[in-house]
Amino acid sequence: MSFADILLIGAGLAMDAAAVSMTNGMVYKKLSRFTYVMMPVFFGVFQMLMPILGYYAGGLFASVITRYSGIVIFVILGIIGLKMLKEGIDDLKAHEVCPVKVMTLKVLFLQAVATSIDAFAVGIGFSAAGIGILGPSALIGAVTVLIVIAAIFIGRQFGDMLGCRAEILGGIILIVIGVKALF
């Protein structure tokens, strides 16, 4: 498999993380420097580790993970999205000024897990094809980090334009990604 092929796989795997990061950038206006750094790190590390896990443990858990991955993604992103949607609607009704939302590491962890489950299947595929995993996984993680950084800044721009409505749109985006995972 060529470098370009792995780069494209990394970009494809990073798209859900990019959408979630863009949503985070829209909704969480007052992110600390620590959180700004941790967001691409969490997404990148999980996108790097999941193919490795799939590569080595895929034979044992492949059927279970692939059978239920869509449901797990749907539940995690659906719950976070519904919470954001509800809070966004409540905030829009109750406040003239948008309240400051705080990104927690727990939410970031759940988002990183939910958006990287499909990378597990890529690891299974690499194992079946006899392709080494460490180099490709590192590249997938690095690509994810770069894409997530760009997505956060794009999300910030949209968040500034949308104001209090950003959380509503963010919730809808997460729900849509969750529903998409079911199919």
Side-chain angles (χ1 to χ4, degrees):
M1 186 167 290
S2 73
F3 179 82
D5 292 337
I6 296 168
L7 202 63
L8 289 173
I9 289 169
L13 289 172
M15 288 301 108
D16 284 347
V20 171
S21 298
M22 194 176 301
T23 299
N24 290 343
M26 283 189 316
V27 173
Y28 300 103
K29 306 274 193 263
K30 301 287 184 188
L31 292 173
S32 67
R33 285 181 199 243
F34 176 76
T35 306
Y36 270 118
V37 170
M38 292 314 292
M39 205 177 310
V41 167
F42 268 57
F43 286 112
V45 165
F46 274 88
Q47 290 288 9
M48 180 183 73
L49 289 178
M50 290 301 260
I52 294 170
L53 289 174
Y55 189 88
Y56 291 111
L60 301 172
F61 306 107
S63 64
V64 173
I65 297 249
T66 54
R67 185 178 312 138
Y68 297 110
S69 66
I71 295 168
V72 172
I73 295 167
F74 171 72
V75 168
I76 293 172
L77 293 182
I79 289 170
I80 295 170
L82 284 171
K83 183 177 181 282
M84 286 174 70
L85 186 60
K86 181 192 176 307
E87 288 177 2
I89 291 169
D90 291 346
D91 290 345
L92 201 57
K93 289 178 185 176
H95 305 285
E96 289 182 24
V97 178
C98 298
V100 175
K101 303 292 179 182
V102 178
M103 165 63 77
T104 65
L105 290 180
K106 177 183 173 185
V107 168
L108 186 54
F109 174 81
L110 290 172
Q111 290 175 342
V113 169
T115 59
S116 65
I117 291 173
D118 53 349
F120 187 89
V122 169
I124 294 168
F126 280 20
S127 177
I131 298 169
I133 193 64
L134 296 180
S137 289
L139 183 58
I140 289 167
V143 167
T144 300
V145 166
L146 295 174
I147 289 174
V148 164
I149 289 169
I152 295 166
F153 289 109
I154 292 168
R156 298 261 322 152
Q157 298 302 314
F158 281 109
D160 291 343
M161 291 186 317
L162 294 170
C164 288
R165 290 173 181 81
E167 189 167 19
I168 295 169
L169 178 60
I172 292 169
I173 290 169
L174 293 183
I175 292 166
V176 166
I177 293 170
V179 169
K180 180 189 81 102
L182 291 174
F183 301 101

